[in-house]
Amino acid sequence: MLRIRNLDAGYGKLRVLKNISLHVKAGEIVTMIGANGAGKTTLLHTVVGLVRPMRGDIVFLGRSNGRSSVAKIVASGCALVPEGRQVFAPMSVEENLLLGGHVLQKERGRAAVLKELEHQYELFPILRERRRQLAGTLSGGEQQMLAMGRALMSGPKLVMMDEPSTGLAPLIVRDIFQIIRRLREEGNTVLLIEQNARAALGIADRGYVLEVGKVILQGPAADLLANADVQRAYLGREKIG
Ligand SMILES: Nc1ncnc2c1ncn2[C@@H]1O[C@H](COP(=O)(O)OP(=O)(O)O)[C@@H](O)[C@H]1O
Ligand SMILES: [Mg+2]
């Protein structure tokens, strides 16, 4: 579904990503874990066209993303749930969701949007309860669900999530990860970026470890969980030995 080959990307002369290669197959949950500043957000922004590649290529569903606009890439089925949720605070929950459906509206009309809205309310019942509430007054966990629902409104083939668990209480994190699992059961494909390595590797099929812009390890999630270097660097000491 997504194949990235020998990608370099960054800002001005600053090369943040160095020779990144990775792929995501249809139906997989793939996670990329890495510390703060490793380049995780830069990677997602490059895939979705917000940052231009300096070298290498990004092929999504057989088409190169390299020179496409963000709007075209999103319309082709690649959705981003951004870091820090970024919901539109002064708008209601439902207005936020409908905004996420504007590509769908253009292509398939209002009925398709309303059907998709209903689907999001089934996935996130709390959003239905809060549908008239202003997004800015939701809790962190509810805002994360809204950001996910908004991205899913476009009916994407690939959902990329940038640190969905950051700043949330453990019980809410568990809910969020359960929803990601359910998304996969419904046939979605997920590229999940996380600092919470244990939780991410716990639900992923495969994973990549990013350190200062380079992929230093990759493999089945279970292998990474069992890897001594990953345990030492990302999973805390309690699991060693
Ligand atoms: N808009 C930007 N302009 C310049 N440098 C940036 C910009 N965004 C991020 N960076 C730098 O790129 C590096 C990687 O950042 P980022 O991709 O946000 O990492 P992560 O998401 O893994 O925390 C950091 O050194 C950061 O300072
Ligand atoms: Mg980030």
Side-chain angles (χ1 to χ4, degrees), residues 10-12 14 16-17 34-43 45 51 83 162-163 193 195 210:
Y11 308 91
L14 176 68
V16 172
L17 300 178
N36 207 7
K40 304 182 299 297
T41 297
T42 302
L43 176 70
H45 283 184
V51 171
E83 185 171 20
D162 196 346
E163 297 200 27
I193 302 289
Q195 282 195 61
L210 191 68

Side-chain angles (χ1 to χ4, degrees), residues 150-184:
R150 184 182 55 188
L152 291 167
M153 280 294 293
S154 62
K157 308 221 168 41
L158 173 68
V159 191
M160 304 192 297
M161 298 187 194
D162 196 346
E163 297 200 27
S165 77
T166 297
L168 302 180
L171 278 179
I172 311 294
V173 171
R174 203 194 53 189
D175 289 348
I176 296 287
F177 278 89
Q178 245 157 31
I179 290 164
I180 297 171
R181 220 183 236 133
R182 177 153 168 217
L183 289 179
R184 194 253 301 273

